[in-house]
Amino acid sequence: MVIKDGVEVRLQEILDSKGMKQEFLCKMTKISTTSMSSLCRGDSLPSTKNGLKIAKILGKHFEE
């Protein structure tokens, strides 16, 4: 878990728990590998649009 701008970033943790790779999420969301890597490390936060795409694919609420 990483904290970015007061937000708990758990994307990599969730991917790991589901046995998913960043590459799969990139293909499904059309987010570049560079951007996805940055999101998973907690270096940046997703736009609302991308956050909603990621949440839907992961079966999570956007807030999670």
Side-chain angles (χ1 to χ4, degrees):
M1 172 189 61
V2 178
I3 304 293
K4 171 72 174 171
D5 297 332
V7 176
E8 182 179 335
V9 179
R10 297 180 41 235
L11 183 53
Q12 188 61 55
E13 178 184 320
I14 294 167
L15 285 173
D16 292 344
S17 74
K18 293 185 171 284
M20 291 182 179
K21 302 284 185 189
Q22 288 181 26
E23 183 179 310
F24 170 77
L25 199 53
C26 289
K27 288 179 183 175
M28 296 299 292
T29 59
K30 297 186 175 33
I31 297 173
S32 73
T33 55
T34 303
S35 294
M36 187 63 69
S37 180
S38 180
L39 293 171
C40 286
R41 284 192 314 269
D43 293 340
S44 63
L45 296 174
S47 65
T48 301
K49 179 180 174 182
N50 285 339
L52 289 169
K53 285 184 196 178
I54 291 168
K56 183 176 180 179
I57 290 165
L58 296 177
K60 299 285 184 178
H61 294 282
F62 178 72
E63 296 80 14
E64 292 182 80

